[in-house]
Structure formats: structure tokens, C-alpha cells
Amino acid sequence: MSLYTRLTGIDRAENEPKLAIHSLFALLSERKRGRLTNQQVLDSLGLSALEKTELIVLVGKIIDSTLDAGEVEDVLLLAEQGVPPYDTEAAVKSRLGV
């Protein structure tokens, strides 16, 4: 499964754990504040190797200002609600440029 499937719930199987979007951004904010390490963030989310890679790419785009964190959160929240055009994983990834 992908990070985006776990965050948005798009095409997520019932037995696949959902990640809360707000929790992810709270963890990233605490990381930015120096209260958590990268490893603590990754460990707390229980990500697969693929999902870790996807998160690293996404965070890299936020760090280099390609994307704004609020913008990413907005897109993910809209996708979670199934709001077109963000109702497919491909559309979400395309919008975020990942």
C-alpha cells in the first residue's frame, strides 16, 4: 500500500490501517520544532519501506518550498473526503508533484 492510500483512504482495504492526516502534520511540526527526531516520526507511523520513501519525498518538497505544508494538508483532506478532482490516488500525487 502507499502512503497516500493510508492517508486518504482511497482504495484502502479494510484491513489496512489508516493514517490520520492531522496526526502526520502534528508529528512533522514537532520534528520541525526539534522535539522529535526523523526516526521517531518514522517509527511512530509504522510505515513500510515504500511509504517511508514516499514520506521523505513529500517532506523534501515541503522543505525546499516546492510545496507548502498547508497546501499538502488541504489536498490530502479533500482527497480523504472524496472531493473531485482529488478522488483518486493518481490525481492526488499529480497535484502534489510526487
Side-chain angles (χ1 to χ4, degrees):
M1 110 185 75
S2 81
L3 176 69
Y4 300 96
T5 296
R6 290 191 56 197
L7 286 168
T8 66
I10 296 171
D11 298 327
R12 184 177 61 89
E14 247 183 70
N15 65 336
E16 294 175 332
K18 170 94 169 64
L19 289 175
I21 295 166
H22 290 302
S23 295
L24 171 65
F25 282 89
L27 286 166
L28 295 178
S29 293
E30 283 295 275
R31 172 61 190 107
K32 184 177 180 182
R33 293 180 194 109
R35 302 287 184 179
L36 295 173
T37 66
N38 290 341
Q39 195 60 52
Q40 286 173 310
V41 171
L42 293 173
D43 290 347
S44 70
L45 293 170
L47 302 176
S48 70
L50 170 65
E51 293 163 345
K52 286 178 184 177
T53 300
E54 290 176 320
L55 180 59
I56 290 165
V57 169
L58 181 62
V59 170
K61 288 187 172 286
I62 294 169
I63 290 170
D64 74 9
S65 299
T66 302
L67 291 170
D68 174 75
E71 176 184 11
V72 173
E73 187 173 19
D74 290 347
V75 170
L76 294 174
L77 289 169
L78 291 170
E80 183 179 48
Q81 296 303 310
V83 176
Y86 308 121
D87 52 355
T88 68
E89 184 176 334
V92 170
K93 290 170 97 173
S94 175
R95 168 62 177 83
L96 297 176
V98 294

